Amino acid sequence: MLRRLSDGIWTASGPVVTAVAGFHYPTRMVVIRLRDDRLWVWSPVSLDEALKREIDALGLVAHIVAPNSLHDLSLSDWQSAFPAARLHVAPGLAARRPDLTLHAELDDEADVAWAEQIDQVVVRGNAITTEVVFFHRASGTAIFTDLIQHLPDNWYSGWRRWIARWDLMTGDEPAVPRKFRLAFRDRRAARHAIDRILAWPVQTVLFAHGEPVVDDARAFLARVFAWLR
């Protein structure tokens, strides 16, 4: 299930999940091995025995990261399976999930456990969710959650297919969905965050719902956020 992306970083696809109005999405998680050989797990997907065996073979899960308030479905299972791990959550999630044991809220300063290995930026000002974007320095990988999406044109059928096209979830290349564009109430704060992201020396762009971008990644990011100017 785990797919090696580069030295010290893996991805794994999870089951399709269904959200509001019956829209369903593919899922993807990221695992990074830190310098202390412990594992940093981003947006964990549904955990089964096969995936747990692969994770255990990589190392000890020390940090579980929920990058926005929408990606929380599997957190309790991961906490049960890895009780020693610390749970780091995006702003807004704590209020939605009082059942979870939270250890830290993510901000613009990387936790000491991964500082100088993984950078992070909080993209504020969106009415749907506040997303934290990460950058794995060693592999040059930027990690988005829902701010960038790209599904096959035939992923949905009927009226959902037309809504997905309008929303830019499907199209020629990955894009920021229209619903997220319209939900930015503080565009100045968003531009400030995106400017920091555009300064990263990105070689690969990962996101939860769609295939990675590996060609001209920095030019792609400039293009995908040009609407925010």
Side-chain angles (χ1 to χ4, degrees):
M1 297 179 69
L2 285 172
R3 172 186 170 193
R4 180 179 172 276
L5 184 69
S6 183
D7 287 343
I9 179 169
W10 296 261
T11 65
S13 295
V16 172
V17 298
T18 301
V20 176
F23 283 91
H24 54 282
Y25 296 86
T27 56
R28 173 178 289 110
M29 63 179 283
V30 176
V31 179
I32 293 175
R33 180 184 285 137
L34 301 174
R35 290 173 187 160
D36 62 4
D37 288 331
R38 298 183 177 224
L39 302 181
W40 182 93
V41 177
W42 172 93
S43 190
V45 299
S46 179
L47 184 65
D48 58 23
E49 286 302 317
L51 178 57
K52 187 176 187 304
R53 284 194 298 270
E54 290 195 61
I55 293 292
D56 288 339
L58 287 182
L60 176 67
V61 174
H63 306 283
I64 300 170
V65 176
N68 68 23
S69 61
L70 306 176
H71 281 230
D72 65 325
L73 293 179
S74 299
L75 295 178
S76 58
D77 289 343
W78 280 74
Q79 280 204 307
S80 296
F82 304 101
R86 291 172 55 83
L87 178 59
H88 308 258
V89 303
L93 182 58
R96 289 190 62 248
R97 294 296 304 272
D99 57 304
L100 296 172
T101 300
L102 309 180
H103 297 94
E105 183 172 274
L106 297 161
D107 56 28
D108 289 314
E109 195 73 26
D111 189 278
V112 64
W114 62 81
E116 300 185 2
Q117 301 175 69
I118 304 171
D119 298 326
Q120 62 196 59
V121 171
V122 182
V123 183
R124 304 182 189 276
N126 195 285
I128 297 175
T129 191
T130 298
E131 181 164 318
V132 186
V133 181
F134 297 91
F135 178 65
H136 181 230
R137 294 187 184 184
S139 65
T141 302
I143 308 172
F144 289 79
T145 313
D146 292 323
L147 283 179
I148 301 176
Q149 299 181 25
H150 192 220
L151 304 177
D153 184 59
N154 62 354
W155 183 259
Y156 298 109
S157 61
W159 63 269
R160 291 185 183 88
R161 185 174 185 179
W162 295 105
I163 293 294
R165 287 179 179 176
W166 174 86
D167 197 39
L168 304 178
M169 288 190 288
T170 59
D172 293 336
E173 72 170 358
V176 179
R178 288 190 196 276
K179 60 179 172 288
F180 282 97
R181 299 184 188 198
L182 295 172
F184 273 109
R185 300 293 184 255
D186 189 340
R187 292 170 71 96
R188 181 178 180 181
R191 282 195 295 270
H192 177 71
I194 296 303
D195 283 345
R196 288 188 57 199
I197 292 168
L198 294 178
W200 290 337
V202 178
Q203 300 176 41
T204 300
V205 181
L206 290 179
F207 37 96
H209 312 303
E211 293 302 309
V213 173
V214 297
D215 296 325
D216 298 321
R218 296 188 73 184
F220 161 74
L221 286 177
R223 197 163 60 247
V224 85
F225 286 107
W227 60 274
L228 194 55
R229 298 302 166 203

